[in-house]
Amino acid sequence: MSILWENIAITIVAFLILYFLLSKFAFNKLFGIMEQRRELVAKQMEDAKQTREQAIQYVEEQKAALQEARQEAQGIIEQSRKTSASQAEALLIEAKQQTERMKDEAVREIESEKNKAVASLRNELGTVSVQIASKILDKEVKQDKAQEELVEKYLNEVGGRP
């Protein structure tokens, strides 16, 4: 087999002409398109990175908001417990005060009734004593005129009768 130098030279010249024509007309456009494609891919990757960072930030914000909501809920529950405990305590204090008032009122009422009963008994005792004394005096006065005069005198002085 023999090497044909003319064919090699013609092939090299054809290749150089083709390379020159491609570089003049096609390579610039092809490289421009490839550069645009590379920029597009880089931009999409940057956008994806930003989107992922935003998603991570959003998830963190949601976690923080959820934690804050839980803390607020716990605070509300704790406040409700405190409020209900204080209301229960207030109701107990009020019930005790009302019981004390009712007890004091009952004691006063009993004392008043006792005083009325004692006064009534004194009046009745006085009346009965006067009746007994009158009967005794009447009996004795009938027997003795001097005593009758003494009783009349005494009644006049005490009663203010003439």
Side-chain angles (χ1 to χ4, degrees):
M1 180 154 155
S2 72
I3 299 179
L4 297 174
W5 292 102
E6 295 109 20
N7 283 344
I8 291 178
I10 291 173
T11 305
I12 291 176
V13 171
F15 180 73
L16 289 174
I17 292 171
L18 181 62
Y19 181 76
F20 175 73
L21 290 174
L22 283 175
S23 66
K24 181 126 179 129
F25 297 108
F27 284 151
N28 289 336
K29 290 182 182 177
L30 183 62
F31 289 142
I33 291 172
M34 289 176 72
E35 183 64 25
Q36 286 176 351
R37 180 72 177 159
R38 187 189 65 76
E39 289 174 2
L40 178 65
V41 168
K43 184 178 182 285
Q44 287 177 345
M45 287 178 61
E46 184 65 30
D47 289 346
K49 182 180 175 184
Q50 288 177 352
T51 302
R52 185 171 49 108
E53 289 173 357
Q54 288 174 349
I56 290 171
Q57 183 180 1
Y58 181 72
V59 167
E60 291 299 321
E61 288 174 359
Q62 291 302 316
K63 284 181 182 178
L66 182 60
Q67 184 66 24
E68 186 178 328
R70 285 181 181 159
Q71 289 175 349
E72 286 180 19
Q74 287 290 21
I76 291 170
I77 290 170
E78 190 62 31
Q79 183 66 28
S80 296
R81 285 182 186 154
K82 289 178 182 178
T83 302
S84 64
S86 66
Q87 286 178 346
E89 189 174 323
L91 287 174
L92 285 174
I93 289 171
E94 184 179 339
K96 285 179 182 179
Q97 290 173 346
Q98 187 174 5
T99 303
E100 284 296 320
R101 280 193 305 268
M102 290 173 67
K103 179 182 168 188
D104 292 343
E105 186 177 313
V107 167
R108 282 192 303 269
E109 191 173 317
I110 289 170
E111 188 66 30
S112 173
E113 289 297 321
K114 177 183 147 189
N115 290 339
K116 286 179 185 177
V118 167
S120 175
L121 284 175
R122 282 184 183 159
N123 286 339
E124 285 184 33
L125 183 62
T127 304
V128 169
S129 295
V130 168
Q131 287 174 353
I132 291 173
S134 290
K135 287 183 181 181
I136 291 174
L137 285 175
D138 191 32
K139 187 176 182 184
E140 284 186 18
V141 168
K142 288 183 181 177
Q143 294 173 357
D144 189 7
K145 263 307 196 192
Q147 286 182 354
E148 183 178 336
E149 289 176 4
L150 183 65
V151 169
E152 284 294 323
K153 182 179 173 186
Y154 176 75
L155 286 176
N156 287 337
E157 287 177 7
V158 172
R161 290 193 212 169

